[in-house]
Amino acid sequence: MKKMFSSFFHFIASVVLAAGAAGYWYIAGDITVEAASEIFLGVFLAASPLPFIVSRWLIAMRIKRQLRSSGITCSRMGALTELLHVDTIAFNRNGTLTEGNVFISALVPEGMTQGSLLALAASAEREATHPYAHALYDTAVQRGLHLQRHSAARETESFGVEALIARTPVRVGKKEWLQEENIEISAALLTRADQLATSGQTPLFVSSSKYARGIIAVRDDVRAEVRRALNALKERGLSLILLTGETKRLANATGKELRISEVRSDLTGTDKAREIRLLQSRGAVVAMVGDAMADQAALRAADISIGCPSSLEKPPAHEEEDTPRDPLHEELLRGPSSNTQEPKPEPLMSPEDAAYFEAQTLRNQGHSTNYTPDITLDSEGLPSLVTLWDTCNAARARAKQNLWLSIFFLLIFVPAAAGALTFLDGTVLPYPFVGGALALLLLLLIVNAIRE
């Protein structure tokens, strides 16, 4: 968008300059309208923004051609040249920096068994969409735990899940969220949660009614190749910042592990977008790397949006015919049967509560399904960003050469076409000559851009 406005103002400036030169000679030089028109055309061609536009377009095409062999795609051509001006890159943690292999690393019950704690959390999370919820539910099903149905549930972004089970509110999520709901958490659980977060695990508090019943810690380790990629980006002079919805202790532990000095934690999608706008207000040119759906708000706010295929998205497993089926899993996924002849049970929640949960669900649905980032990395994810950066950086020299050629043309031919040589006993440069020189310049820019 900035480049488009720059080209527009350049076009207006060339028209004004050409009109000024033609008007001067028409009035002071006492020439005909036809001669003034020729001066106008010559100055306009010499000052035209066409060489600068073609130069940027050719460099972008060169980068795109070099990336064609990889899986990196670009939906906005200008992003490839604008990437050269980026000085700050922001990352999401889960799915972007991590392996995507979420697993339960610890069960810390209080007043119940480990199995009961996991079953309670999985019962609340069984319809949630977050990868942590999938890990809890799948583990409970694999262990054959008895899961209860919930009468209603809502998922709050970056905080957790709330469900009604046997008319009792059950919450699974962050400590801060449960404390806002006046859930009583023991000092022993708070201390244990800090220890888990410091060691790189995510503590999920589980509460029933007004009391915390324990902690389920999940883990998603950082990918080894991501460490190398981030080190390579820092060597290239880029500032890195981590924007995550994880707790402060876990975010700081991840930042320390990856040597990222700037870390922002406990962020929702809107918070991430606000942090990016704050960086931009300080003069930073920011590229955001994240999931095209989960980090959509932050990607839209960044100067350049870079979609990274989430490692949390696993390809669907094709079940073989001789694979034994899990009746409990199928029964939970199927839900209540609509063909049963039994009388309908009494509603487990009041109409007011049902309306509340429905309103909260609708409020949290705000993502657009047709959003496409400016640049989408290949299946390797973050390591391919280094390849992209090096490819763009290699084209920087050609871009500078073309820029200086265009400036040299403008400085030489604009004064000549405007009649400056007449003050040195020369003549006004005719517009056909200027047009031919412009054509030669464009040909030179093309050859310089595509040569190996």
Side-chain angles (χ1 to χ4, degrees), residues 110 112 117 120-121 124 148 161-173 177-185 205-214 357:
E110 190 171 74
M112 60 171 58
L117 178 67
L120 181 65
Q148 305 177 65
V161 169
E162 179 182 9
L164 283 178
I165 300 177
R167 299 181 180 176
T168 301
V170 176
R171 296 178 177 89
V172 183
W177 178 51
L178 268 64
Q179 289 175 334
E180 289 179 0
E181 299 293 334
N182 297 321
I183 302 299
E184 184 176 328
I185 305 176
F205 284 81
V206 182
S207 70
S208 177
S209 186
K210 291 295 182 181
Y211 302 95
R213 304 300 181 182
F357 277 94

Side-chain angles (χ1 to χ4, degrees), residues 76-322:
R76 185 170 65 88
M77 186 71 70
L80 294 176
T81 53
E82 293 173 19
L83 189 63
L84 302 176
H85 304 289
V86 168
D87 53 29
T88 304
I89 303 182
F91 302 92
N92 176 47
R93 181 185 186 276
N94 295 333
T96 302
L97 305 180
T98 61
E99 295 178 351
N101 183 25
V102 182
F103 61 93
I104 296 178
S105 55
L107 290 168
V108 186
E110 190 171 74
M112 60 171 58
T113 64
Q114 291 185 345
S116 299
L117 178 67
L118 179 57
L120 181 65
S123 299
E125 296 267 20
R126 70 186 186 94
E127 291 181 359
T129 59
H130 197 279
Y132 290 170
H134 296 167
L136 266 61
Y137 175 79
D138 292 341
T139 304
V141 170
Q142 292 168 6
R143 293 188 180 186
L145 301 179
H146 174 69
L147 305 186
Q148 305 177 65
R149 297 191 185 281
H150 56 62
S151 55
R154 70 178 178 96
E155 187 173 2
T156 304
E157 180 186 4
S158 299
F159 288 102
V161 169
E162 179 182 9
L164 283 178
I165 300 177
R167 299 181 180 176
T168 301
V170 176
R171 296 178 177 89
V172 183
K174 289 185 176 180
K175 170 191 65 178
E176 293 79 9
W177 178 51
L178 268 64
Q179 289 175 334
E180 289 179 0
E181 299 293 334
N182 297 321
I183 302 299
E184 184 176 328
I185 305 176
S186 67
L189 287 180
L190 293 176
T191 302
R192 182 59 175 148
D194 289 341
Q195 295 172 348
L196 292 169
T198 303
S199 63
Q201 304 175 65
T202 302
L204 302 176
F205 284 81
V206 182
S207 70
S208 177
S209 186
K210 291 295 182 181
Y211 302 95
R213 304 300 181 182
I215 298 173
I216 300 178
V218 295
R219 192 178 188 111
D220 188 11
D221 294 328
V222 174
R223 297 160 57 189
E225 57 269 26
V226 163
R227 296 188 184 94
R228 294 191 291 270
L230 294 181
N231 288 334
L233 291 174
K234 285 189 291 185
E235 290 173 357
R236 286 153 178 77
L238 294 168
S239 299
L240 309 182
I241 180 171
L242 176 61
L243 305 178
T244 179
E246 297 292 351
T247 61
K248 183 177 181 179
R249 287 185 179 272
L250 176 58
N252 289 337
T254 303
K256 183 178 180 180
E257 180 182 0
L258 297 176
R259 297 180 181 178
I260 300 177
S261 57
E262 291 193 64
V263 176
R264 307 288 186 273
S265 58
D266 295 312
L267 302 179
T268 64
T270 304
D271 294 334
K272 294 177 184 178
R274 186 189 66 244
E275 291 291 337
I276 288 177
R277 285 191 288 268
L278 183 60
L279 290 170
Q280 292 169 333
S281 68
R282 297 172 180 171
V285 181
V286 184
M288 174 66 192
V289 183
D291 182 75
M293 288 299 297
D295 302 307
Q296 192 173 133
L299 290 171
R300 290 181 183 274
D303 295 284
I304 296 180
S305 57
I306 302 176
C308 182
S310 177
S311 61
L312 296 170
E313 297 180 1
K314 305 298 181 181
H318 298 283
E319 188 176 24
E320 300 179 359
E321 294 183 359
D322 57 349

Side-chain angles (χ1 to χ4, degrees), residues 336-359:
S337 175
S338 58
N339 298 325
T340 180
Q341 301 298 323
E342 297 179 0
K344 294 182 179 180
E346 179 185 356
L348 296 180
M349 64 187 305
S350 65
E352 292 78 8
D353 290 337
Y356 166 77
F357 277 94
E358 182 178 1

